[in-house]
Structures are given as C-alpha cells and as structure tokens.
C-alpha cells in the first residue's frame, strides 16, 4: 500500500503555474532522529530525490541504529522506504556541526517533554533541547539558514528561537518557520504521504513569505497546493496544540460517557456509533478506552493550560485541564475496577498485562496508560507479567522507574526499585504471560490479540479467569461463553 502511495504522489510534481517552484534548497538537515524526525525526513527524501537530507542526533547509538535494518522507531512501511533512500539522498550522521554548516534549511525535531523541574513544573514544555539546538545553530552557521520548528512547541517558541539565533553576531540571516507535524504514531508513513493538510507558519513580511514558499515548494512534490496552509507563526503553533486538544477532548468525552454506561447498562460502543453517524460529529476518536497516551495529547493540553494561566485566562485553563483529569480518572478507574473485581486485593496474584505501547503499531510507550495501571496494581502488591509485541523489556522497566518521580498520579506513592524488580516479569511469549494468571488485562489494541487461542488461554489460567479488555477489541459475549468473567470499558458486566 505504501508503495502505491509513494508512486501516487509523483503526479503532484511541478503543478503548472505555481510560483513556489524555485529550486534553491539543495541541502536539508534535521536535528533529532526520533519518532518525528526519522520518519519525516525519510518521506521527504523519497519525495524530493534532488535534495540531500542529513539527519543528526546527539545520541550516537540512535544514529547507528538508523543505519541498520533494526530502526529505533517502529512504523509500518518505514523500513521499506528507508532502504530505498538511505545512502542515496538520505543520511544519518552523528556530526551535528557539519550538518548545520552544510544545510540551507534545518528542521528541529528534538523532544519537548513537559518540564519536570522549576517554574512551570508538570505543565510547561521543557525547551532546553530546543534552546541548545538554537544556540548550536547560531554558533556554527556561516551561511543563511531557514530554521523549521518541527517539534511540538507551545506558542511563541519560534520567537525564542529567533531571539537566540539573531543575536549571535555572525551576520548570518536566519528565518524561522513553524511546520507542526500532524503524524500519528503507528500510521506515520501514511500520514506523511497523504497529509490532510500541511501547515507552514512564517514571520510577517516578504522575507517570511519567501521562506514559507521555499518549504512549500518541497511539499509541492507530493501535496496538492490547496492542502498547504500558510499562516502567521503564532497561528501555526497554536493550531497544533488546538488540534490535539480537540482530539483528546473527544476521547475524554467518550471516556466520561463510558462511566455513565457502566453505571446504567448502556453500551458505550453503541453510543459512540450512534453519535459518530451524525455527520456533524463524525466517527473518529470516539473509541472509549483505558485512557489516551502518547507523547502529544497530555503534553500539548498541559501547554495550553499553562499558556492560559500565564495570560490570566483561568476559566479557559480549567476547561482544558478537565480533559486531562478525565483521562487520569479513567486510568485510575480501570485499575480500581481490576482490584475490586479480584475480590478487593491483587496482592501476590499473577496478573497478565497484554500490551504496553500507548497504541498499536508503535514501539513508543510515552505516557502509556499501561504504566499507570501497572503502577496502581504494583502498589497493591500484584505480581505483574507483561507482554508487548514491540516494546522492549528495558523500556518497560524504565517507564516504571519514571513512575517513581511522577507526581500527577494523585493517591499513588512512587514505586521502589524493589517493587519493580520483584513485581514485574516481561515475557516474549504471550501464552507464558497468561499461564496461571488470575486475570488478563488488554491494554493496547494490537491486532494479534484478537487472533489468540483464547480457549487455550482460559484453560491455562486460574479460575475464575478474569478478562479486562481496556480497549474493547475482544468479542465480549464469545469470551464469556469460553468461561471468562469479562469486563470492558463502558459496558456493564
Ligand atoms: C497524536 C495526533 O493524532 C497527531 O496528529 C499529533 O501530531 C501527535 O499526537 P499520536 O499520539 O501518535 O498522535 O496518537 P493518536 O492516534 O492521536 O492516539 C492518541 C491516544 O488516544 C492513544 O493512546 C490512543 O489509543 C487513544 N485513542 C485514540 C483512544 O483512546 N480512542 C480513540 O478513539 C482514539
Ligand atoms: P519526538 O517524538 O518528538 O521525535 P524523540 O524523543 O523520539 O521525540 O526524538 C527526539 C530526538 O532528539 C532524540 O533522539 C534526542 O536524542 C534528540 N535530541 C535532543 N536534543 C538534541 C540536541 N541538542 N542535539 C541533537 N539531538 C538532540
């Protein structure tokens, strides 16, 4: 399918009569070889064969991995495209200074996590990585550059970047663009090949407009012009936060409804279907679940909230903060239900967690609801057995260690190393994870879970065998007929 999309894009090459077809950009660098930078530059390289792309990262191991077939990022279809362009016009290099020096355009795709210290702790974005890059660009540059912010950043970050680079005293002209990424993990390649829209924000005035067109001309190789939106810098940055806030709000709205369904006997999937068929609402992002995760939703909304508070807009801040609160409530509610149904204690009980990634088709587990559920169960002294098709054991243990310092999870204490070491076993085989377990919890909607031999699983578990489907992917009635005590989100048992 991706090969078809790759070919299809070519028809957009050089649309007649467009002013944006000047070919000045020959060398592009991208700082940050993570979930955003790696896939984005790969698709750019495939679509712009005459431009040379160099991706750099301060982590040399990550760069080394990008140069093998064992890529640090798992995305369906990605490896095929990387293989086609790597060594031709796409290069992964540890030499950041050289990449900056050689490029006419530099993408910033470094991480912008929520600040874990000082002013704005737990709310504001931590811009130290962005600032470090901006300083390095300022120091190294000897020729004019267009800097494109590609990480998720709060509004007015471009201004900070411009401030840093413009005062470096080396007479280089820097222009700053905001080009937020809208790719969702697990579908990154498709999202990049067929974007709903591309947003390019630039500075006011002719220089800003010119920079916007330089970037637009690259996208013109595969994206129809009407899908390329040109805006002010601030509008582009705020649009990214707002789009994610709206999506997360839909999920939180459905998750709030799921609690009503459980209490009243309605079925949340039926409600979602009926609501989604209203063409004014639409069917997407209405799936009730154990909670949303990922690197963007929570972080972006917290940014929005922080911004609102900064500008004294407390009512607006409270409004958006509630989206996060419902998500926290949903994760906690799920963990609580597991403990209650297992006769009010999970101490010493083997509990299988199927799925750790924050959604299917990715090896990313940032903010995954699984780690919050796991932490709650560990506090209750459960014996956890985890299986995920893509997330490594190291990553799972790291996530739990991160929980030790996490403070947003009200009611939870931090986990000790002993709790993690003694309470968590990671399996490579799902059937081993469930063998002898009191309960199996589905925490990620991996397709393979629906194909398991659930009769065999039931047989191997302790009785009564509990099945908690946090993603509503299993056929509830069929599972009950096998003999499981089934609990799904937004369905009364
Ligand atoms: C999101 C945005 O979709 C993307 O545009 C942005 O650029 C980055 O952030 P991502 O975090 O990769 O992408 O995943 P997404 O598909 O949006 O899912 C986010 C979370 O919501 C996942 O944990 C997912 O399982 C959950 N979700 C999504 C639901 O629980 N129900 C739904 O109906 C949809
Ligand atoms: P995202 O999902 O935003 O892509 P990742 O954490 O996957 O986030 O990727 C960000 C990458 O940026 C990481 O690989 C990190 O090592 C890299 N990085 C952070 N700061 C710098 C820097 N100053 N110079 C180069 N690379 C950096």
């Amino acid at each position: 399918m991706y090969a078809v999309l790759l070919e299809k894009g070519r028809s957009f090459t050089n649309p007649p009569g467009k002013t944006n077809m000047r070919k000045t950009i020959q060398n592009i660098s991208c700082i940050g070889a993570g979930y955003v930078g790696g896939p984005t530059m790969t698709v750019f390289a495939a679509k712009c064969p005459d431009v040379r792309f160099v991706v750099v990262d301060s982590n040399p191991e990550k760069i080394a991995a990008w140069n093998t077939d064992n890529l640090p990022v798992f995305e369906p279809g990605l490896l095929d495209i990387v293989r086609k362009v790597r060594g031709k016009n796409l290069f992964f290099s540890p030499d950041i200074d050289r990449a900056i020096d050689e490029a006419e355009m530099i993408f910033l795709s470094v991480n912008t996590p929520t600040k874990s210290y000082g002013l704005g702790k737990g709310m504001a974005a931590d811009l130290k990585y962005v600032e470090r890059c901006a300083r390095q660009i300022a120091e190294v540059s000897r020729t004019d550059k267009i800097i494109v912010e590609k990480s998720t950043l709060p509004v007015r970050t471009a201004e900070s970047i411009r401030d840093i680079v413009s005062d470096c005293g080396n007479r280089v002209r820097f222009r700053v663009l905001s080009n937020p990424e809208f790719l969702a993990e697990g579908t990154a390649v498709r999202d990049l090949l067929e974007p709903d829209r591309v947003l390019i924000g630039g500075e006011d005035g002719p220089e800003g407009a010119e920079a916007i067109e330089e970037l637009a001309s690259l996208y013109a190789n595969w994206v129809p012009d009407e899908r390329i939106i040109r805006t002010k810098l601030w509008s582009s940055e705020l649009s990214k936060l707002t789009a994610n806030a709206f999506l997360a709000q839909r999920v939180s709205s459905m998750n709030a409804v799921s609690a009503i369904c459980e209490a009243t006997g309605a079925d949340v999937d039926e409600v979602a279907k009926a609501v989604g068929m209203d063409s004014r609402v639409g069917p997407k992002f209405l799936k009730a679940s154990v909670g949303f995760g990922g690197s963007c939703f929570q972080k972006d909304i917290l940014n929005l909230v922080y911004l609102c508070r900064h500008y004294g807009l407390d009512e607006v801040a409270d409004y958006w903060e509630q989206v996060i609160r419902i998500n926290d409530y949903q994760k906690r509610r799920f963990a609580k239900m597991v403990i209650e149904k297992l006769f009010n204690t999970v101490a010493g009980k083997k509990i299988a967690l199927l799925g750790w990634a924050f959604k299917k088709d990715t090896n990313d587990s940032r903010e995954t609801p699984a780690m919050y559920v796991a932490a709650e169960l560990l506090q209750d002294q459960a014996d956890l057995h985890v299986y995920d098709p893509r997330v490594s054991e190291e990553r799972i243990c790291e996530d739990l260690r991160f929980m030790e310092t996490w403070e947003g999870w009200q009611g939870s204490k931090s986990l000790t190393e002993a709790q993690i070491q003694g309470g968590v076993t990671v399996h490579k085989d799902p059937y081993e994870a469930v063998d002898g377990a009191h309960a199996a919890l589905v925490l990620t909607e991996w397709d393979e879970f629906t194909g398991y031999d659930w009769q065999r699983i039931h047989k191997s578990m302790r009785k009564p065998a509990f099945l908690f489907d946090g993603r509503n992917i299993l056929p509830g009635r069929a599972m009950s007929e096998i003999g499981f005590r089934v609990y799904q989100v937004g369905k009364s048992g």
Side-chain angles (χ1 to χ4, degrees):
M1 182 185 94
Y2 295 103
V4 173
L5 290 178
L6 265 179
E7 287 308 315
K8 222 166 85 182
R10 300 234 162 91
S11 59
F12 297 122
T13 309
N14 296 345
K18 288 280 169 292
T19 52
N20 56 10
M21 293 319 292
R22 62 182 91 69
K23 276 222 177 279
T24 52
I25 305 282
Q26 301 291 311
N27 290 289
I28 293 181
S29 293
C30 172
I31 307 182
Y35 284 93
V36 173
T40 305
M41 289 302 115
T42 300
V43 169
F44 259 106
K47 292 297 188 180
C48 308
D50 301 333
V51 181
R52 187 170 171 270
F53 294 85
V54 179
V55 184
V56 292
D57 199 291
S58 51
N59 178 348
E61 284 162 21
K62 211 173 240 189
I63 290 298
W66 277 105
N67 282 316
T68 68
D69 279 355
N70 193 14
L71 305 182
V73 168
F74 171 73
E75 280 291 339
L78 181 63
L79 181 60
D80 285 350
I81 308 181
V82 168
R83 278 193 183 137
K84 282 197 183 105
V85 287
R86 193 171 51 195
K88 292 198 178 100
N89 66 328
L90 175 66
F91 302 89
F92 295 94
S93 158
D95 193 342
I96 303 178
D97 282 356
R98 186 170 166 196
I100 293 172
D101 185 38
E102 288 176 354
E104 294 118 39
M105 184 179 270
I106 302 168
F107 283 80
L108 288 191
S109 296
V110 298
N111 36 339
T112 52
T114 305
K115 250 183 118 176
S116 57
Y117 55 89
L119 187 69
K121 180 180 175 185
M123 298 287 269
D126 192 341
L127 296 181
K128 69 175 178 223
Y129 303 108
V130 173
E131 183 177 337
R132 213 171 284 163
C133 285
R135 288 187 191 283
Q136 195 167 358
I137 293 171
E139 265 170 44
V140 173
S141 295
R142 293 174 301 175
T143 53
D144 295 351
K145 314 277 177 207
I146 297 175
I147 302 172
V148 185
E149 49 162 64
K150 195 72 189 161
S151 339
T152 312
L153 299 161
V155 266
R156 308 231 151 208
T157 305
E159 192 171 47
S160 317
I161 296 176
R162 197 173 42 193
D163 256 7
I164 294 165
V165 294
S166 64
D167 250 357
C168 62
N170 56 2
R171 293 171 184 242
V172 170
R173 184 174 60 142
F174 291 104
R175 286 167 297 166
V176 180
L177 294 177
S178 157
N179 174 219
E181 56 81 24
F182 286 101
L183 66 87
E185 289 173 35
T187 52
V189 172
R190 195 179 64 205
D191 296 342
L192 287 163
L193 288 172
E194 290 209 318
D196 285 346
R197 77 315 207 176
V198 166
L199 208 51
I200 308 177
E203 294 155 274
D204 289 337
E207 288 213 340
E210 192 187 63
I212 289 179
E213 292 314 319
E214 301 263 17
L215 181 54
S217 72
L218 294 167
Y219 278 110
N221 281 314
W222 78 100
V223 181
D225 195 56
E226 63 273 14
R227 289 204 204 158
I228 303 176
I229 306 175
R230 288 120 170 127
T231 67
K232 294 182 192 186
L233 269 183
W234 321 140
S235 307
S236 159
E237 291 180 289
L238 184 58
S239 303
K240 172 64 201 290
L241 296 191
T242 310
N244 276 348
F246 271 60
L247 291 172
Q249 186 186 43
R250 284 171 69 101
V251 178
S252 271
S253 298
M254 262 348 270
N255 284 344
V257 169
S258 77
I260 310 176
C261 289
E262 283 164 36
T264 59
D267 179 319
V268 77
D269 285 336
E270 289 174 359
V271 174
K273 189 174 175 198
V275 171
M277 277 176 77
D278 185 325
S279 60
R280 295 163 301 178
V281 178
K284 294 179 182 166
F285 277 78
L286 291 180
K287 184 89 188 147
S289 67
V290 54
F292 61 71
S295 69
C296 281
F297 277 11
Q298 172 153 323
K299 184 185 79 180
D300 288 358
I301 296 170
L302 288 173
N303 267 311
L304 205 54
V305 171
Y306 186 70
L307 269 167
C308 294
R309 298 236 186 269
H310 174 79
Y311 289 105
L313 307 170
D314 281 335
E315 285 80 359
V316 187
D318 292 345
Y319 176 77
W320 287 111
E321 198 161 26
Q322 197 58 30
V323 174
I324 299 289
R325 283 173 188 262
I326 288 289
N327 199 46
D328 284 345
Y329 165 71
Q330 190 76 347
K331 294 181 281 193
R332 207 164 39 229
R333 209 166 70 81
F334 187 84
K336 209 168 140 225
M337 173 173 71
V338 173
I339 297 169
E340 279 174 9
K341 298 296 176 195
L342 289 170
F343 315 107
N344 274 323
T345 177
V346 288
K349 290 180 183 168
K350 177 171 178 178
I351 311 281
L353 307 191
L354 298 178
W356 190 265
F358 79 96
K359 62 188 246 189
K360 73 174 182 180
D361 290 341
T362 178
N363 60 345
D364 194 355
S365 59
R366 283 176 288 181
E367 289 301 333
T368 180
M371 71 179 168
Y372 294 101
V373 171
E376 283 290 290
L377 297 178
L378 281 176
Q379 299 291 16
D380 218 70
Q381 301 177 4
D383 173 25
L384 299 183
H385 290 252
V386 186
Y387 166 78
D388 186 282
R390 291 282 171 183
V391 184
S392 67
E393 177 167 359
E394 295 76 46
R395 182 88 185 235
I396 292 170
C397 293
E398 241 172 65
D399 288 340
L400 288 167
R401 273 188 206 109
F402 165 72
M403 296 295 299
E404 288 180 71
T405 53
W406 194 74
E407 290 184 348
W409 187 242
Q410 288 156 16
S412 235
K413 290 185 223 88
S414 53
L415 297 169
T416 63
E417 190 61 31
Q419 276 176 305
I420 298 169
Q421 293 286 332
V424 184
T425 313
V426 179
H427 293 268
K428 291 204 156 51
D429 176 354
Y431 291 94
E432 272 176 26
V434 292
D435 188 34
H438 290 255
L441 277 51
V442 175
L443 299 177
T444 311
E445 71 279 27
W446 285 104
D447 290 338
E448 68 171 58
F449 294 165
T450 54
Y452 285 177
D453 182 347
W454 285 97
Q455 302 253 15
R456 175 181 159 198
I457 290 175
H458 181 263
K459 215 179 251 173
S460 76
M461 285 173 63
R462 280 181 175 259
K463 307 297 176 313
F466 287 84
L467 181 58
F468 297 92
D469 181 2
R471 296 286 179 168
N472 292 3
I473 55 168
L474 297 170
R477 187 171 298 168
M479 293 293 138
S480 301
E481 278 163 12
I482 289 174
F484 284 107
R485 293 198 184 174
V486 185
Y487 297 92
Q488 295 186 299
V489 179
K491 299 179 192 237
S492 51

